[in-house]
Amino acid sequence: MNTSCRLWVTMLAVGLVVVATSAQAADKLVGNADAGQAEVSSVCAACHGADGNSTDPQYPKLAGQHAAYIEHQLESFQSGKRANSIMSGMAGMLSKQDIANVAAYLSQQKTSPGPVDTYQVKLGESIYRDGVASAGLPSCESCHGPKGLGDSAKLYPRIAGQHAQYVVQVLTGWHNGQAWGEGPHAKLALSVGQKLTIEQIQAIASYVQGMNAVK
Ligand code: HEC
Ligand code: HEC
């Protein structure tokens, strides 16, 4: 390669890096946790608690949830992929920047421990750890992790300490065929719910609520 040719190749490479970086910056808004806190305390706290730890178990805890997952769910409520009459109204009021802000704030809060629920907790634990081979269901742990903390990069939510009542609500919805859209994650979640019986769902929910040993 002669010198001028090498120069062109270098310039082209630099140009591509610049384009790639600015495209990423345009996609990803940086959340402001202080602005998020203000939004949460004025609008969301009534149901989800001021620090994202709801006390009414029909509303999910959001404290300590991955920011990327909170953003993903708020966008799903906005688009109607995840149907819920309350949350479609709430999410509809939020701009992209508001979403990034509340997600930043909530993800930084500590999940409050849930009371240990002893209802069939051993059955729940065995499903969490080992799945249900006869139903072709992999362990919950294989995606949500040994401590229930999920995986932000893969958009697998944290579930440790979540209210059992909410977990039953979500898994029963999937069991009955109500998907959260048609994307690969929604299909995956639907198949998890459909491979569980109602009794197994209740057992797993009490185990998940009691997964408190971790932050
Ligand atoms: C009037 C009660 C109410 C208010 C106020 C409310 N929510 Fe919700 N939220 C709900 C309910 C109910 C659900 C569960 C929906 C479902 O079952 O699909 C939910 C679910 C969510 C979820 C999904 C959580 C998960 O684990 O999948 C997020 C994220 C969320 N809300 C964020 C917010 C934010 C941010 C605000 C404030 C801007 C807010 N909510 C205000 C009732 C409320
Ligand atoms: C192969 C991976 C995988 C396995 C195995 C799996 N999950 Fe999930 N789970 C997901 C994904 C992905 C989502 C988010 C779905 C979406 O975004 O539409 C999810 C969401 C959830 C939620 C909703 C959390 C929230 O607040 O929004 C609960 C509860 C849950 N899973 C429980 C379980 C339980 C219990 C098991 C075991 C019986 C299990 N999952 C097995 C991938 C998995």
Side-chain angles (χ1 to χ4, degrees), residues 80-83 173-183 186-187 189-190 194:
K81 281 184 199 146
R82 182 170 172 185
W174 294 334
H175 178 86
N176 292 335
Q178 291 147 17
W180 292 355
E182 292 181 336
K187 285 194 177 138
L190 192 69
Q194 294 186 328

Side-chain angles (χ1 to χ4, degrees), residues 31-181:
N32 174 327
D34 290 339
Q37 180 171 22
E39 180 82 34
V40 169
S41 63
S42 65
V43 185
C44 325
C47 299
H48 294 288
D51 65 350
N53 283 301
S54 48
T55 46
D56 183 337
Q58 67 178 303
Y59 303 124
K61 288 183 190 175
L62 305 174
Q65 186 56 273
H66 306 292
Y69 185 76
I70 293 177
E71 292 179 9
H72 170 63
Q73 292 306 331
L74 288 170
E75 284 159 9
S76 292
F77 287 125
Q78 280 187 335
S79 67
K81 281 184 199 146
R82 182 170 172 185
N84 181 267
S85 53
I86 300 175
M87 274 313 299
S88 70
M90 294 293 155
M93 302 184 310
L94 303 176
S95 67
K96 280 196 179 306
Q97 185 65 57
D98 295 333
I99 289 183
N101 296 348
V102 295
Y105 170 68
L106 291 166
S107 64
Q108 290 166 17
Q109 307 310 303
K110 217 176 151 161
T111 317
S112 67
V116 173
D117 181 340
T118 50
Y119 178 77
Q120 294 203 346
V121 72
K122 287 275 163 239
L123 172 62
E125 178 168 18
S126 92
I127 297 170
Y128 193 88
R129 299 285 165 219
D130 305 323
V132 185
S134 58
L137 180 71
S139 72
C140 316
E141 179 179 281
S142 62
C143 294
H144 294 285
K147 296 175 173 179
L149 299 179
D151 181 332
S152 176
K154 293 187 178 153
L155 286 180
Y156 295 160
R158 176 198 170 113
I159 57 175
Q162 186 57 272
H163 297 298
Q165 185 178 327
Y166 174 72
V167 172
V168 168
Q169 220 166 276
V170 163
L171 290 170
T172 307
W174 294 334
H175 178 86
N176 292 335
Q178 291 147 17
W180 292 355

